[in-house]
Amino acid sequence: MQIEKQVIIDGLTFEPYLTREQIAREVERVAKEIARDYEGKDPYFLCVLTGAFVFASDLIRATGLNEAPISFIRYKSYEGTSTTGSVKKVIGLTDDISGRDIIIIEDIVDTGLTARRMIEDLRQQNPASVKFATLLYKPESSQTGFTPDYVAFTIPPKFIIGYGLDLDGKARTMPDIYAIKES
Ligand code: IMP
Ligand code: MG
């Protein structure tokens, strides 16, 4: 499969960063870690819309956890290529999750503000446990000290698109991951 050398979206130039093969390999590794940790348990997957739906769809199918439900929540903090600093809940949870072992599935942890806010909200509903799986983690951008439990890729603080991640709604459909070109 041919990968574009660069793509231009909204006047910004992006370069190839992670191929679909690299992504598949690390998603498989994280799925195995989750399968091992939750053997004999009854986890409940919670996918954070919109960006994480592509990762979640590959991840849950690779775990072999055939009885685990999946549901969706939505929070919003980003505009363009940077965080607004405030996190808004856009879609909440309707299921009763008390006593459940929750695995949040997120596309990327940047400042950690969204992750911290979601976990605070979920704890109000008395789950048995809450763990956090993310495709991408930018530790150098952290403003919270939040550390995810499962990470496919730890990356420097670059703006990323593709495989579910967007620039103002664009590029989610791209099968490979691209990073913004530093000028
Ligand atoms: P945080 O609250 O700053 O950790 O940011 C979390 C959210 O910001 C993620 O769920 C993404 O929706 C968005 N985000 C952060 N970094 C990027 C990026 O590099 N590309 C696309 N979206 C991003
Ligand atoms: Mg997101």
Side-chain angles (χ1 to χ4, degrees), residues 29-41:
R29 172 184 57 76
V30 171
K32 285 205 179 99
E33 288 173 23
I34 291 173
R36 180 199 63 207
D37 294 351
Y38 286 84
E39 203 191 327
K41 289 197 181 145

Side-chain angles (χ1 to χ4, degrees), residues 97 118-131:
I97 56 157
M118 280 189 298
I119 292 169
E120 266 169 28
D121 287 355
L122 290 174
R123 288 246 157 86
Q124 312 271 324
Q125 301 180 53
N126 300 311
S129 66
V130 181
K131 296 275 186 191

Side-chain angles (χ1 to χ4, degrees), residues 77-78 83 106-114 138 158-160 165-166:
S77 66
Y78 249 62
T83 181
E106 178 60 299
D107 52 0
I108 189 162
V109 175
D110 184 47
T111 62
L113 291 166
T114 308
K138 301 181 194 167
K158 289 169 179 290
F159 185 76
I160 297 293
L165 290 107
D166 72 309

Side-chain angles (χ1 to χ4, degrees), residues 18-37:
L18 299 167
T19 64
R20 65 199 75 182
E21 290 81 12
Q22 288 173 296
I23 298 166
R25 208 175 311 131
E26 296 311 305
V27 170
E28 191 78 26
R29 172 184 57 76
V30 171
K32 285 205 179 99
E33 288 173 23
I34 291 173
R36 180 199 63 207
D37 294 351

Side-chain angles (χ1 to χ4, degrees), residues 154-171:
T154 299
I155 62 166
K158 289 169 179 290
F159 185 76
I160 297 293
I161 56 166
Y163 192 71
L165 290 107
D166 72 309
L167 171 61
D168 287 335
K170 298 171 190 141

